[in-house]
Amino acid sequence: MTSYKQRIKKIASEKSPLILANDYDDRRQDLESRTIKNIRELHKYLCAIKLNFHVLLPLGQKQIQKITRLAHDSGLQTIADIKLNDIGNTNNVTVETLWDLGFDAVIVNPMMGPENLGNLIKLSHKNEKGVISLCHMSSPEAKVTYELQVGAKKSPLYHMFLEWATKMHSDGIIVGATFPDIVAFCKKKSGGSLNIYSPGIGTQGGDIQKTISAGSDYLIVGRSILTAKDPVSAARSLYELCKN
């Protein structure tokens, strides 16, 4: 078996860098059936599917395993977006549970500290799983926190997160498509060693071609597909933009 980083790269090269953020913002009881439908109808335009914390909580173990199995059978990687941030033992138990549920990678919050982050990445890589670390999110409020001036040099907080992710050999970082200049900075500063995952495409204002040109490797799209009258057509259109 290959590493997560190799697996998603191969799938993206064969299809596209699009990742579906299957993050419905309601509490309807048909999350499982809607997610399964999305995988079956949209998988040929995607390299992965991402499930957020609020989507995972209402689902049971068997439901989640059914979803991740179908995603794998459909040629997709699976990402648990729980922004994990805790002490070492809690982090380890959490990711091991996620792996048992069928997830290939987890999104984490580097506020856990560089040592905890590094240990989590080592454990994940040992099991051929991935860790994607927050660097700068896509919402406007991200400027309030991720651009806080910290340290002796008084540089933005996301600079420190980028340094940790690079040093610890994270499988990638999150940088919002709504901040293409920061995408470009992170790509250059990391020497291209980090894959950049960019949420915020479409509804939040992120532009696919600008984000790719800035250096993003994977594009995370949710509402632009989920709330479209024709999700398949919306996914296909985004897929075509990635190819241009």
Side-chain angles (χ1 to χ4, degrees), residues 106-110 117 131-135 161 165 170 172-175:
V106 60
I107 295 176
V108 306
N109 188 330
L117 177 62
V131 174
I132 304 162
S133 186
L134 293 179
C135 189
F161 288 166
S170 171
I173 54 173
I174 298 288
V175 182

Side-chain angles (χ1 to χ4, degrees), residues 147-167:
E147 296 184 32
L148 280 172
Q149 303 298 300
V150 299
K153 296 181 179 179
K154 295 297 181 182
S155 56
L157 179 62
Y158 75 86
H159 285 200
M160 183 171 70
F161 288 166
L162 173 64
E163 181 182 342
W164 291 355
T166 305
K167 184 177 180 180

Side-chain angles (χ1 to χ4, degrees), residues 14 25 29 53 85 95 112 135-136 168 171 176-177 180 182 188-190 216 223 238-239:
E14 293 171 349
D25 55 4
Q29 299 302 306
F53 213 165
N85 170 29
V95 294
M112 68 176 71
C135 189
H136 195 297
M168 304 303 170
D171 296 279
I182 295 178
K188 182 178 181 180
K189 192 70 174 178
S190 68
S216 183
R223 284 172 288 176
L238 293 168
Y239 170 86

Side-chain angles (χ1 to χ4, degrees), residues 89-131:
N89 184 60
T90 300
N91 291 337
N92 292 350
V93 173
T94 300
V95 294
E96 287 168 354
T97 301
L98 290 171
W99 300 338
D100 289 342
L101 291 171
F103 284 100
D104 297 287
V106 60
I107 295 176
V108 306
N109 188 330
M111 285 300 292
M112 68 176 71
E115 184 175 347
N116 282 327
L117 177 62
N119 289 337
L120 183 59
I121 291 171
K122 287 178 182 177
L123 176 64
S124 299
H125 287 177
K126 184 178 179 181
N127 289 273
E128 298 175 325
K129 304 294 183 179
V131 174

Side-chain angles (χ1 to χ4, degrees), residues 224-244:
S224 294
I225 294 175
L226 299 181
T227 62
K229 290 184 178 180
D230 185 348
V232 175
S233 179
R236 186 186 305 117
S237 296
L238 293 168
Y239 170 86
E240 293 298 335
L241 284 174
C242 291
K243 297 297 184 181
N244 292 336

Side-chain angles (χ1 to χ4, degrees), residues 54-99:
H54 72 282
V55 175
L56 292 174
L57 282 173
L59 297 172
Q61 176 180 346
K62 290 183 179 179
Q63 290 175 300
I64 296 173
Q65 288 175 327
K66 181 178 179 181
I67 288 168
T68 55
R69 279 197 301 269
L70 177 62
H72 290 149
D73 289 344
S74 302
L76 303 179
Q77 290 292 279
T78 54
I79 301 170
D81 183 4
I82 64 170
K83 300 175 177 68
L84 180 62
N85 170 29
D86 219 305
I87 62 172
N89 184 60
T90 300
N91 291 337
N92 292 350
V93 173
T94 300
V95 294
E96 287 168 354
T97 301
L98 290 171
W99 300 338

